[in-house]
Amino acid sequence: MKEKLSIVKIGGNIIDDPEQLSLFIQNFASLAGKKILVHGGGKLASKVSTELGIEARMFEGRRITDKATLKVVTMVYAGLINKEIVALLQSKNCNALGLCGADGNLIRAKKRPVGKVNYGFAGDLDENSIAGANMKNLLTADFTPVFSAITHNGEGQLLNTNADTIASAIAVAMSADYQTKLIYCFEKKGVLKDVSDENSLISEISASEFETLKEQNIIADGMIPKLHNAFQSINNGVNEVYIGKADELPLLNGEGNFGTKLIK
């Protein structure tokens, strides 16, 4: 039987809140078995951009990454935030290793083609992007990889890549060798029927139910690409996908039901 592996992605709202981040770090460190953490950057990259006189531009929720912005997000995501998270995990006896996709050639991306908008140095992933064997070596050596959302194209160019997509791609790639569980952690209990009511949690969603909930506008905005990624993962070998509240992560050690579980 394959060994279990948890791939956890944390959202920017947790990174932006020191109290929430501290609790998450403690909970992630206590998660049983082998694990990988993927993080975004929160509001800090936009704040630093503004301080440096660089306009932070977004389109449909995604950052437009020109040359100046790429320097900022690399410094903030792969530098400050990544190393702060690694240091906090080390304080909880979790032997974390802070990485971006260029390290060990672990995540190779392609520059996004120019469509109706030019996203600049944004990187997209394909089925060959993750170097699974190299990643397995780190896990076998008992390291806990911590990935920022910075990748590379193999030709010396760094790229800014969506953290949800990175987590999903890692989970799919590692499912050949591990029983993989993909977990998206954010500030809500999971997928809610009413975003203002924490008690309206939807405990399970199938692919067909996802389509219905989209039509009813119960699932909308940024949750749509997150769930789309998640269902793609399930269809490509990932055993389980969860979306839930960061401070309830220990429930995945078998102590109860965590967030919303996505099922085939």
Side-chain angles (χ1 to χ4, degrees):
M1 192 174 171
K2 290 179 184 174
E3 194 174 0
K4 291 180 179 178
L5 171 66
S6 299
I7 296 97
V8 180
K9 188 266 173 175
I10 52 164
N13 287 344
I14 295 162
I15 290 167
D16 291 333
D17 184 328
E19 202 172 302
Q20 276 197 66
L21 180 61
S22 176
L23 181 57
F24 168 79
I25 292 292
Q26 188 175 319
N27 290 338
F28 178 81
S30 72
L31 204 57
K34 295 195 180 299
K35 47 194 178 261
I36 294 171
L37 180 60
V38 180
H39 65 84
K43 294 178 185 137
L44 187 58
S46 296
K47 183 173 179 282
V48 172
S49 289
T50 303
E51 287 170 357
L52 293 172
I54 300 162
E55 185 191 357
R57 292 182 299 142
M58 310 288 282
F59 183 79
E60 293 180 350
R62 294 190 179 228
R63 189 180 296 276
I64 293 172
T65 311
D66 58 18
K67 275 188 178 179
T69 302
L70 181 66
K71 289 180 180 179
V72 173
V73 295
T74 301
M75 287 187 287
V76 173
Y77 298 172
L80 182 61
I81 291 172
N82 187 265
K83 299 314 169 196
E84 282 184 342
I85 288 172
V86 168
L88 288 167
L89 284 169
Q90 293 292 359
S91 76
K92 303 297 179 189
N93 298 312
C94 176
N95 198 12
L97 189 65
L99 301 160
C100 78
D103 295 305
N105 193 28
L106 288 165
I107 310 171
R108 192 182 288 206
K110 291 175 182 171
K111 188 172 180 288
R112 186 173 302 158
V114 177
K116 59 182 176 181
V117 64
N118 183 358
Y119 280 101
F121 295 97
D124 291 330
L125 307 182
D126 60 29
E127 65 276 7
N128 301 312
S129 286
I130 308 297
N134 290 352
M135 217 169 278
K136 187 180 179 183
N137 288 339
L138 295 176
L139 293 167
T140 302
D142 284 331
F143 288 112
T144 295
V146 177
F147 283 99
S148 62
I150 301 295
T151 58
H152 77 131
N153 70 350
E155 296 170 7
Q157 180 62 58
L158 293 171
L159 296 164
N160 181 20
T161 298
N162 181 270
D164 283 353
T165 307
I166 289 174
S168 172
I170 291 173
V172 170
M174 301 313 287
S175 64
D177 293 305
Y178 294 91
Q179 193 176 326
T180 53
K181 186 184 288 182
L182 174 59
I183 305 139
Y184 291 106
C185 280
F186 68 152
E187 68 281 3
K188 302 280 185 189
K189 275 185 175 287
V191 182
L192 306 174
K193 283 182 182 170
D194 176 358
V195 289
S196 59
D197 181 8
E198 284 280 334
N199 296 315
S200 66
L201 177 72
I202 305 169
S203 57
E204 279 190 355
I205 301 175
S206 67
S208 60
E209 286 166 342
F210 171 45
E211 294 304 322
T212 304
L213 291 165
K214 269 198 300 184
E215 285 167 20
Q216 295 169 345
N217 214 35
I218 290 170
I219 292 175
D221 305 324
M223 191 57 77
I224 292 175
K226 196 182 288 285
L227 289 184
H228 178 71
N229 259 341
F231 279 112
Q232 275 194 323
S233 305
I234 292 173
N235 293 330
N236 285 286
V238 175
N239 295 82
E240 299 169 81
V241 180
Y242 294 87
I243 296 175
K245 201 167 189 176
D247 59 11
E248 294 183 349
L249 199 58
L251 293 173
L252 286 167
N253 287 331
E255 297 161 23
N257 296 319
F258 173 80
T260 301
K261 182 179 181 180
L262 305 190
I263 55 175
K264 271 192 175 178

PDB file of all heavy atoms in Angstrom, residues 14-34:
ATOM      1  N   ILE A  14      -4.460  34.146   5.520  1.00  0.00           N
ATOM      2  CA  ILE A  14      -3.801  33.538   6.695  1.00  0.00           C
ATOM      3  C   ILE A  14      -2.398  34.124   6.843  1.00  0.00           C
ATOM      4  O   ILE A  14      -1.974  34.482   7.942  1.00  0.00           O
ATOM      5  CB  ILE A  14      -3.744  32.007   6.557  1.00  0.00           C
ATOM      6  CG1 ILE A  14      -5.159  31.433   6.563  1.00  0.00           C
ATOM      7  CG2 ILE A  14      -2.933  31.377   7.697  1.00  0.00           C
ATOM      8  CD1 ILE A  14      -5.262  30.044   6.023  1.00  0.00           C
ATOM      9  N   ILE A  15      -1.697  34.263   5.727  1.00  0.00           N
ATOM     10  CA  ILE A  15      -0.344  34.834   5.750  1.00  0.00           C
ATOM     11  C   ILE A  15      -0.370  36.268   6.276  1.00  0.00           C
ATOM     12  O   ILE A  15       0.530  36.697   7.002  1.00  0.00           O
ATOM     13  CB  ILE A  15       0.273  34.779   4.334  1.00  0.00           C
ATOM     14  CG1 ILE A  15       0.590  33.326   3.957  1.00  0.00           C
ATOM     15  CG2 ILE A  15       1.544  35.621   4.240  1.00  0.00           C
ATOM     16  CD1 ILE A  15       0.899  33.109   2.504  1.00  0.00           C
ATOM     17  N   ASP A  16      -1.422  37.013   5.941  1.00  0.00           N
ATOM     18  CA  ASP A  16      -1.520  38.422   6.338  1.00  0.00           C
ATOM     19  C   ASP A  16      -1.816  38.615   7.820  1.00  0.00           C
ATOM     20  O   ASP A  16      -1.652  39.714   8.346  1.00  0.00           O
ATOM     21  CB  ASP A  16      -2.634  39.120   5.536  1.00  0.00           C
ATOM     22  CG  ASP A  16      -2.277  39.278   4.064  1.00  0.00           C
ATOM     23  OD1 ASP A  16      -1.073  39.345   3.759  1.00  0.00           O
ATOM     24  OD2 ASP A  16      -3.207  39.318   3.230  1.00  0.00           O
ATOM     25  N   ASP A  17      -2.263  37.555   8.497  1.00  0.00           N
ATOM     26  CA  ASP A  17      -2.680  37.656   9.904  1.00  0.00           C
ATOM     27  C   ASP A  17      -1.713  36.844  10.778  1.00  0.00           C
ATOM     28  O   ASP A  17      -1.772  35.606  10.790  1.00  0.00           O
ATOM     29  CB  ASP A  17      -4.107  37.108  10.040  1.00  0.00           C
ATOM     30  CG  ASP A  17      -4.678  37.258  11.441  1.00  0.00           C
ATOM     31  OD1 ASP A  17      -3.898  37.196  12.420  1.00  0.00           O
ATOM     32  OD2 ASP A  17      -5.907  37.406  11.567  1.00  0.00           O
ATOM     33  N   PRO A  18      -0.793  37.507  11.510  1.00  0.00           N
ATOM     34  CA  PRO A  18       0.221  36.789  12.292  1.00  0.00           C
ATOM     35  C   PRO A  18      -0.367  35.754  13.256  1.00  0.00           C
ATOM     36  O   PRO A  18       0.209  34.678  13.440  1.00  0.00           O
ATOM     37  CB  PRO A  18       0.940  37.910  13.052  1.00  0.00           C
ATOM     38  CG  PRO A  18       0.716  39.133  12.239  1.00  0.00           C
ATOM     39  CD  PRO A  18      -0.644  38.976  11.626  1.00  0.00           C
ATOM     40  N   GLU A  19      -1.512  36.079  13.860  1.00  0.00           N
ATOM     41  CA  GLU A  19      -2.142  35.157  14.813  1.00  0.00           C
ATOM     42  C   GLU A  19      -2.640  33.893  14.106  1.00  0.00           C
ATOM     43  O   GLU A  19      -2.394  32.770  14.559  1.00  0.00           O
ATOM     44  CB  GLU A  19      -3.321  35.864  15.502  1.00  0.00           C
ATOM     45  CG  GLU A  19      -3.703  35.243  16.841  1.00  0.00           C
ATOM     46  CD  GLU A  19      -4.738  36.088  17.585  1.00  0.00           C
ATOM     47  OE1 GLU A  19      -4.456  37.275  17.864  1.00  0.00           O
ATOM     48  OE2 GLU A  19      -5.811  35.543  17.854  1.00  0.00           O
ATOM     49  N   GLN A  20      -3.327  34.105  12.984  1.00  0.00           N
ATOM     50  CA  GLN A  20      -3.824  32.961  12.207  1.00  0.00           C
ATOM     51  C   GLN A  20      -2.673  32.126  11.661  1.00  0.00           C
ATOM     52  O   GLN A  20      -2.731  30.900  11.657  1.00  0.00           O
ATOM     53  CB  GLN A  20      -4.680  33.449  11.025  1.00  0.00           C
ATOM     54  CG  GLN A  20      -6.129  33.731  11.356  1.00  0.00           C
ATOM     55  CD  GLN A  20      -6.979  33.801  10.096  1.00  0.00           C
ATOM     56  OE1 GLN A  20      -7.157  32.814   9.402  1.00  0.00           O
ATOM     57  NE2 GLN A  20      -7.490  34.985   9.800  1.00  0.00           N
ATOM     58  N   LEU A  21      -1.618  32.797  11.193  1.00  0.00           N
ATOM     59  CA  LEU A  21      -0.469  32.090  10.634  1.00  0.00           C
ATOM     60  C   LEU A  21       0.210  31.234  11.696  1.00  0.00           C
ATOM     61  O   LEU A  21       0.552  30.074  11.453  1.00  0.00           O
ATOM     62  CB  LEU A  21       0.530  33.081  10.024  1.00  0.00           C
ATOM     63  CG  LEU A  21       1.792  32.454   9.402  1.00  0.00           C
ATOM     64  CD1 LEU A  21       1.439  31.509   8.265  1.00  0.00           C
ATOM     65  CD2 LEU A  21       2.745  33.536   8.911  1.00  0.00           C
ATOM     66  N   SER A  22       0.383  31.791  12.895  1.00  0.00           N
ATOM     67  CA  SER A  22       1.009  31.067  13.992  1.00  0.00           C
ATOM     68  C   SER A  22       0.230  29.793  14.340  1.00  0.00           C
ATOM     69  O   SER A  22       0.817  28.714  14.530  1.00  0.00           O
ATOM     70  CB  SER A  22       1.113  31.983  15.216  1.00  0.00           C
ATOM     71  OG  SER A  22       1.639  31.286  16.311  1.00  0.00           O
ATOM     72  N   LEU A  23      -1.101  29.913  14.402  1.00  0.00           N
ATOM     73  CA  LEU A  23      -1.953  28.753  14.696  1.00  0.00           C
ATOM     74  C   LEU A  23      -1.872  27.727  13.570  1.00  0.00           C
ATOM     75  O   LEU A  23      -1.779  26.522  13.811  1.00  0.00           O
ATOM     76  CB  LEU A  23      -3.398  29.208  14.911  1.00  0.00           C
ATOM     77  CG  LEU A  23      -4.426  28.120  15.262  1.00  0.00           C
ATOM     78  CD1 LEU A  23      -4.023  27.352  16.506  1.00  0.00           C
ATOM     79  CD2 LEU A  23      -5.816  28.738  15.444  1.00  0.00           C
ATOM     80  N   PHE A  24      -1.888  28.211  12.325  1.00  0.00           N
ATOM     81  CA  PHE A  24      -1.792  27.294  11.183  1.00  0.00           C
ATOM     82  C   PHE A  24      -0.478  26.506  11.226  1.00  0.00           C
ATOM     83  O   PHE A  24      -0.457  25.297  10.995  1.00  0.00           O
ATOM     84  CB  PHE A  24      -1.892  28.056   9.858  1.00  0.00           C
ATOM     85  CG  PHE A  24      -1.517  27.187   8.685  1.00  0.00           C
ATOM     86  CD1 PHE A  24      -2.417  26.278   8.160  1.00  0.00           C
ATOM     87  CD2 PHE A  24      -0.232  27.241   8.153  1.00  0.00           C
ATOM     88  CE1 PHE A  24      -2.054  25.434   7.112  1.00  0.00           C
ATOM     89  CE2 PHE A  24       0.141  26.403   7.113  1.00  0.00           C
ATOM     90  CZ  PHE A  24      -0.776  25.503   6.585  1.00  0.00           C
ATOM     91  N   ILE A  25       0.627  27.211  11.498  1.00  0.00           N
ATOM     92  CA  ILE A  25       1.945  26.568  11.542  1.00  0.00           C
ATOM     93  C   ILE A  25       1.946  25.429  12.557  1.00  0.00           C
ATOM     94  O   ILE A  25       2.433  24.323  12.288  1.00  0.00           O
ATOM     95  CB  ILE A  25       3.044  27.606  11.884  1.00  0.00           C
ATOM     96  CG1 ILE A  25       3.232  28.615  10.749  1.00  0.00           C
ATOM     97  CG2 ILE A  25       4.362  26.934  12.258  1.00  0.00           C
ATOM     98  CD1 ILE A  25       3.814  28.078   9.462  1.00  0.00           C
ATOM     99  N   GLN A  26       1.386  25.695  13.721  1.00  0.00           N
ATOM    100  CA  GLN A  26       1.294  24.676  14.776  1.00  0.00           C
ATOM    101  C   GLN A  26       0.467  23.479  14.295  1.00  0.00           C
ATOM    102  O   GLN A  26       0.860  22.321  14.481  1.00  0.00           O
ATOM    103  CB  GLN A  26       0.629  25.311  16.004  1.00  0.00           C
ATOM    104  CG  GLN A  26       0.647  24.435  17.245  1.00  0.00           C
ATOM    105  CD  GLN A  26       0.085  25.201  18.447  1.00  0.00           C
ATOM    106  OE1 GLN A  26       0.382  26.384  18.625  1.00  0.00           O
ATOM    107  NE2 GLN A  26      -0.720  24.536  19.238  1.00  0.00           N
ATOM    108  N   ASN A  27      -0.659  23.765  13.637  1.00  0.00           N
ATOM    109  CA  ASN A  27      -1.537  22.699  13.156  1.00  0.00           C
ATOM    110  C   ASN A  27      -0.915  21.905  12.009  1.00  0.00           C
ATOM    111  O   ASN A  27      -1.025  20.686  11.950  1.00  0.00           O
ATOM    112  CB  ASN A  27      -2.880  23.283  12.702  1.00  0.00           C
ATOM    113  CG  ASN A  27      -3.706  23.790  13.858  1.00  0.00           C
ATOM    114  OD1 ASN A  27      -3.515  23.376  14.998  1.00  0.00           O
ATOM    115  ND2 ASN A  27      -4.632  24.697  13.585  1.00  0.00           N
ATOM    116  N   PHE A  28      -0.248  22.619  11.097  1.00  0.00           N
ATOM    117  CA  PHE A  28       0.411  21.933   9.979  1.00  0.00           C
ATOM    118  C   PHE A  28       1.520  21.019  10.486  1.00  0.00           C
ATOM    119  O   PHE A  28       1.658  19.881  10.036  1.00  0.00           O
ATOM    120  CB  PHE A  28       0.980  22.951   8.980  1.00  0.00           C
ATOM    121  CG  PHE A  28       1.722  22.321   7.834  1.00  0.00           C
ATOM    122  CD1 PHE A  28       1.026  21.802   6.748  1.00  0.00           C
ATOM    123  CD2 PHE A  28       3.106  22.248   7.837  1.00  0.00           C
ATOM    124  CE1 PHE A  28       1.710  21.210   5.682  1.00  0.00           C
ATOM    125  CE2 PHE A  28       3.800  21.646   6.792  1.00  0.00           C
ATOM    126  CZ  PHE A  28       3.093  21.130   5.700  1.00  0.00           C
ATOM    127  N   ALA A  29       2.312  21.512  11.441  1.00  0.00           N
ATOM    128  CA  ALA A  29       3.399  20.710  12.005  1.00  0.00           C
ATOM    129  C   ALA A  29       2.876  19.434  12.669  1.00  0.00           C
ATOM    130  O   ALA A  29       3.556  18.400  12.661  1.00  0.00           O
ATOM    131  CB  ALA A  29       4.193  21.544  13.004  1.00  0.00           C
ATOM    132  N   SER A  30       1.653  19.507  13.216  1.00  0.00           N
ATOM    133  CA  SER A  30       1.085  18.341  13.914  1.00  0.00           C
ATOM    134  C   SER A  30       0.395  17.356  12.967  1.00  0.00           C
ATOM    135  O   SER A  30      -0.041  16.289  13.398  1.00  0.00           O
ATOM    136  CB  SER A  30       0.076  18.806  14.977  1.00  0.00           C
ATOM    137  OG  SER A  30      -1.112  19.282  14.357  1.00  0.00           O
ATOM    138  N   LEU A  31       0.286  17.709  11.684  1.00  0.00           N
ATOM    139  CA  LEU A  31      -0.373  16.848  10.708  1.00  0.00           C
ATOM    140  C   LEU A  31       0.441  15.564  10.533  1.00  0.00           C
ATOM    141  O   LEU A  31       1.647  15.613  10.301  1.00  0.00           O
ATOM    142  CB  LEU A  31      -0.485  17.599   9.372  1.00  0.00           C
ATOM    143  CG  LEU A  31      -1.564  17.206   8.385  1.00  0.00           C
ATOM    144  CD1 LEU A  31      -2.958  17.284   9.004  1.00  0.00           C
ATOM    145  CD2 LEU A  31      -1.487  18.087   7.150  1.00  0.00           C
ATOM    146  N   ALA A  32      -0.217  14.422  10.648  1.00  0.00           N
ATOM    147  CA  ALA A  32       0.474  13.130  10.598  1.00  0.00           C
ATOM    148  C   ALA A  32       1.021  12.831   9.204  1.00  0.00           C
ATOM    149  O   ALA A  32       0.427  13.218   8.198  1.00  0.00           O
ATOM    150  CB  ALA A  32      -0.490  12.033  11.030  1.00  0.00           C
ATOM    151  N   GLY A  33       2.159  12.159   9.155  1.00  0.00           N
ATOM    152  CA  GLY A  33       2.708  11.661   7.894  1.00  0.00           C
ATOM    153  C   GLY A  33       3.511  12.689   7.106  1.00  0.00           C
ATOM    154  O   GLY A  33       3.783  13.792   7.574  1.00  0.00           O
ATOM    155  N   LYS A  34       3.888  12.302   5.896  1.00  0.00           N
ATOM    156  CA  LYS A  34       4.670  13.187   5.025  1.00  0.00           C
ATOM    157  C   LYS A  34       3.777  14.297   4.479  1.00  0.00           C
ATOM    158  O   LYS A  34       2.596  14.078   4.235  1.00  0.00           O
ATOM    159  CB  LYS A  34       5.296  12.387   3.880  1.00  0.00           C
ATOM    160  CG  LYS A  34       6.328  11.376   4.372  1.00  0.00           C
ATOM    161  CD  LYS A  34       7.180  10.863   3.252  1.00  0.00           C
ATOM    162  CE  LYS A  34       8.213   9.849   3.750  1.00  0.00           C
ATOM    163  NZ  LYS A  34       9.159  10.381   4.735  1.00  0.00           N
TER     164      LYS A  34
END
